[in-house]
């Protein structure tokens, strides 16, 4: 009988170096050679435990692939470059890159994926909260990292996604502050003094997002049927290098040292001094001679529901017709300087309105109308949903107007009013407790006294 062990049988032996060694056959590598994994320990019991763990992963089809496991930094770069870029939209991908570069890599970037532990993530999240990051920001970082680790687990690069073992910070829902009816009227009165008045009427009256409002284009505005087809939205995208060596292209703009205290060079920056460039920086694409895919761009809406037609309020139609005539006159006056984009709301040269300038104008109108500071979203979609609710429109109809996929999302947009609640409870009280007759205290107390009953008996006799 042959002393040779059967195929796929593991071996455990004591080496000349004093360590116990275990070797497990996991299968075949990509090049056809045997995939033999090695484990070692000081005791036979420990090495056999490691061998059994490898065999269990092999038999369950969960064994990681052969080869050196990448670090978190290496895997995040691979994930964002070759995997996420095929699915995510440009704005979302830029956000993923930003949080990876500023939070994930400095926090856990040097750990190997198979050595990453839940404790590492918990310490990183705690440090981010201590630095002043909002819980919603930390939660977004957790979701990005968890998604990347999920793909690594699915491809058998790691055995387990450790992000699923961590509880991220709890995020409270952001409270909406929509305009009241009086505030909405005051806001539009302030906007009526500006040439962009119709833009704010559309934003507040139809509950559109900023990108959808600025992305209005005449071919998708049906004035006859009073419908708008939101097939485009205006977004500002980051420029991308079109050259072969992005690092060398932005060499003159690289900064690898932090600014000194009381820096005067960036004193006008609203977000403070920019952070130093990472090693091998490939940013600064805005100065690339072959830059692409950046600036103000018309993009498609994110979901199919967002492209559903939106009814235009009939009182808006005459104003839109008048606005189109004024725009034709501006086009004729500009001549060759006019840049045609078919946009409804434009600058004097035909270019679409800049979202940044649009946001600043919104803040100016708030101050002019005497309204406390709030988000642009509060003054458009939240306001439209809330006022529609006050006008008695049912929730499913509001959901269709705002183009939400779930009614629970619509309920988060609609905020109830205290005066409506008080009126509702007054009617509830009237339904259960009818108003009693007005009586004096003396009459109420003395009507059923013993003396009164005696006098009634004498009258009856």
């Amino acid at each position: 009988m042959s002393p040779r062990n059967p195929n796929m049988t593991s071996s455990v032996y004591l080496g000349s170096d004093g360590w116990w060694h275990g070797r497990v056959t996991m299968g075949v590598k990509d090049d056809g050679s045997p995939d033999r994994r090695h484990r070692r320990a000081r005791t036979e019991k420990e090495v056999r435990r490691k061998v059994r763990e490898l065999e269990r992963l092999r038999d369950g089809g969960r064994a990681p692939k052969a080869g050196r496991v990448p670090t978190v930094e290496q895997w995040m770069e691979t994930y964002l470059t070759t995997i996420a870029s095929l699915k995510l939209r440009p704005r979302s991908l830029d956000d993923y890159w930003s949080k990876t570069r500023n939070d994930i890599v400095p926090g856990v970037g040097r750990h190997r994926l198979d050595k990453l532990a839940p404790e590492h993530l918990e310490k990183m999240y705690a440090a981010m909260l201590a630095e002043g990051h909002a819980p919603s920001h930390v939660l977004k970082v957790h979701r990005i990292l968890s998604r990347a680790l999920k793909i690594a687990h699915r491809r058998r690069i790691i055995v387990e996604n450790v992000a699923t073992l961590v509880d991220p910070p709890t995020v409270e829902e952001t409270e909406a502050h929509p305009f009241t009816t009086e505030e909405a009227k005051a806001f539009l009165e302030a906007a009526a003094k500006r040439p962009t008045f119709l833009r704010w009427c559309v934003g507040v009256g139809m509950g559109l997002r900023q990108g959808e409002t600025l992305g209005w284009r005449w071919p998708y505005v049906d004035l006859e049927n009073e419908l708008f087809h939101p097939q485009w939205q205006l977004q500002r995208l980051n420029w991308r290098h079109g050259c072969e060596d992005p690092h060398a292209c932005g060499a003159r703009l690289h900064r690898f040292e932090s600014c000194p205290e009381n820096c005067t060079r960036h004193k006008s920056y609203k977000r403070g001094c920019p952070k130093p460039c990472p090693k091998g920086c490939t940013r600064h694409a805005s100065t690339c001679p072959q830059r692409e895919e950046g600036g103000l761009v018309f993009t498609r809406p994110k979901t199919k529901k967002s492209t559903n037609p939106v009814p235009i309020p009939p009182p808006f139609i005459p104003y839109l017709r008048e606005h189109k005539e004024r725009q034709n006159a501006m086009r004729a006056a500009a001549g060759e300087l006019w840049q045609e984009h078919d946009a409804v709301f434009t600058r004097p040269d035909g270019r679409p309105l800049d979202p940044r300038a649009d946001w600043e104008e919104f803040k100016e109108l708030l101050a002019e109308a005497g309204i406390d500071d709030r988000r642009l979203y509060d003054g458009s979609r939240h306001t439209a949903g809330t006022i529609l609710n006050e006008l008695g429109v049912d929730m499913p109809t509001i959901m269709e107007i705002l183009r939400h996929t779930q009614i629970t999302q619509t309920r988060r947009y609609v905020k109830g009013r205290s005066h409506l609640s008080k009126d509702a409870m007054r009617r509830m009280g009237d339904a259960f407790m009818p108003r009693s007759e007005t009586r004096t205290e003396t009459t109420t107390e003395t009507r059923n006294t013993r003396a009164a009953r005696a006098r009634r008996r004498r009258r009856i006799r």
Side-chain angles (χ1 to χ4, degrees):
M1 189 173 184
S2 174
R4 181 178 177 180
N5 292 330
N7 290 336
M8 307 298 288
T9 300
S10 305
S11 60
V12 176
Y13 60 91
L14 178 62
S16 59
D17 56 356
W19 287 76
W20 281 89
H21 297 266
R23 297 190 180 276
V24 183
T25 302
M26 306 296 291
V28 180
K29 296 181 180 179
D30 294 337
D31 59 0
S33 60
D35 181 9
R36 295 273 290 176
R37 309 287 175 91
H38 173 252
R39 294 291 184 270
R40 73 170 187 168
R42 282 296 184 183
T43 63
E44 181 181 6
K45 181 180 179 180
E46 179 65 16
V47 78
R48 287 191 179 278
R49 184 190 65 79
K50 293 182 178 181
V51 167
R52 286 195 301 270
E53 182 179 353
L54 266 181
E55 291 174 340
R56 186 164 53 251
L57 293 175
R58 177 196 64 191
D59 298 339
R62 299 183 295 111
K65 289 185 177 181
R68 184 171 181 83
V69 178
T71 63
V72 174
E73 180 179 4
Q74 293 169 341
W75 174 246
M76 289 303 301
E77 183 175 357
T78 301
Y79 167 69
L80 295 176
T81 303
T82 62
I83 302 173
S85 59
L86 302 178
K87 184 176 181 180
L88 296 178
R89 290 183 171 272
R91 286 284 293 273
S92 299
L93 184 61
D94 290 340
D95 186 45
Y96 275 45
W97 272 111
S98 174
K99 289 179 172 55
T100 297
R101 183 171 52 246
N102 298 323
D103 300 307
I104 297 177
V105 171
V108 294
R110 295 188 178 183
H111 287 286
R112 269 175 39 184
L113 287 183
D114 57 341
K115 301 296 182 181
L116 188 65
E119 293 77 14
H120 299 145
L121 303 186
E122 291 169 347
K123 291 180 181 179
M124 180 180 70
Y125 298 159
M128 292 173 63
L129 293 173
E131 292 174 359
H133 289 290
S136 58
H137 179 90
V138 180
L139 179 61
K140 185 64 178 293
V141 170
H142 171 78
R143 289 174 175 172
I144 294 172
L145 183 57
S146 179
R147 178 62 182 173
L149 293 178
K150 181 180 179 180
I151 300 297
H153 176 235
R154 186 182 298 170
R155 299 189 177 189
R156 295 190 301 164
I157 299 175
I158 55 177
V159 177
E160 186 177 23
N161 179 3
V162 297
T164 60
L165 307 178
V166 178
D167 290 331
T170 302
V171 178
E172 296 182 359
E173 185 177 341
T174 304
E175 185 178 0
H177 296 283
F179 292 155
T180 63
T181 305
E182 293 73 18
E183 288 175 337
K185 291 180 179 179
F187 179 85
L188 293 179
E189 287 178 1
K193 305 173 185 177
R194 298 175 179 249
T196 55
F197 168 66
L198 191 57
R199 175 262 177 272
W200 298 112
C201 284
V202 169
V204 177
M206 297 178 61
L208 299 177
R209 303 173 180 89
Q210 182 193 35
E212 293 173 340
T213 305
L214 300 184
W216 268 42
R217 306 176 85 173
W218 286 115
Y220 304 95
V221 180
D222 188 352
L223 297 179
E224 298 299 328
N225 296 316
E226 301 176 353
L227 288 174
F228 167 62
H229 301 271
Q231 298 295 323
W232 297 95
Q233 58 183 349
L234 185 69
Q235 290 185 330
R236 179 179 292 280
L237 304 182
N238 292 337
W239 290 102
R240 304 187 186 279
H241 283 279
C243 55
E244 296 182 357
D245 191 352
H247 178 71
C249 181
R252 65 182 181 84
L253 298 175
H254 292 327
R255 298 173 56 256
F256 299 105
E257 296 181 359
S258 301
C259 291
E261 294 185 5
N262 302 322
C263 172
T264 58
R265 181 180 178 183
H266 305 107
K267 61 181 181 180
S268 61
Y269 282 40
K270 295 181 180 179
R271 299 184 178 181
C273 296
K275 294 183 179 181
C277 298
K279 185 179 180 180
C281 175
T282 58
R283 289 181 287 176
H284 315 297
S286 59
T287 60
C288 177
Q290 304 174 20
R291 64 182 186 178
E292 56 188 10
E293 300 180 6
L296 291 180
V297 179
F298 286 101
T299 62
R300 293 291 185 180
K302 189 174 182 179
T303 63
K304 184 177 180 180
K305 185 78 172 180
S306 299
T307 62
N308 288 354
V310 182
I312 301 176
F316 288 8
I317 300 299
Y319 290 95
L320 284 170
R321 296 185 187 277
E322 182 181 351
H323 177 77
K324 191 172 185 179
E325 293 177 0
R326 287 199 306 268
Q327 192 178 77
N328 291 335
M330 291 173 56
R331 182 185 292 105
E336 295 181 355
L337 299 178
W338 183 268
Q339 300 181 29
E340 188 59 66
H341 294 278
D342 289 328
V344 175
F345 307 114
T346 65
R347 286 176 267 189
D349 60 357
R351 291 180 297 164
L353 295 178
D354 190 336
R356 295 174 182 172
D358 183 74
W359 180 86
E360 293 177 355
E361 185 177 19
F362 173 74
K363 297 298 182 179
E364 294 173 0
L365 290 174
L366 289 178
E368 293 177 10
I371 304 173
D372 57 339
D373 188 33
R374 61 194 67 189
R375 303 176 304 168
L376 180 56
Y377 228 56
D378 292 333
S380 55
R381 289 179 71 74
H382 287 290
T383 295
T386 301
I387 293 181
L388 286 171
N389 184 44
E390 291 183 356
L391 295 175
V393 181
D394 58 275
M395 203 62 66
T397 304
I398 299 177
M399 182 183 73
E400 289 299 321
I401 293 175
L402 298 181
R403 290 159 295 130
H404 290 151
T405 56
Q406 296 179 350
I407 200 167
T408 54
Q409 185 179 8
T410 306
R411 291 195 176 98
R412 291 198 300 269
Y413 272 65
V414 176
K415 183 175 181 181
R417 298 296 183 191
S418 58
H419 69 275
L420 294 180
S421 301
K422 290 181 179 179
D423 181 66
M425 296 310 293
R426 178 187 60 78
R427 288 182 290 167
M428 177 70 77
D430 291 343
F432 286 96
M433 300 290 292
R435 295 181 181 180
S436 58
E437 298 178 2
T438 304
R439 298 167 180 169
T440 62
E441 184 179 358
T442 305
T443 304
T444 304
E445 291 181 351
T446 59
R447 176 171 293 180
N448 292 321
T449 61
R450 182 178 298 178
R453 290 196 297 272
R455 284 194 295 272
R456 285 198 296 270
R457 285 197 296 269
R458 286 195 293 269
R459 285 197 298 270
I460 293 173
R461 292 172 184 171

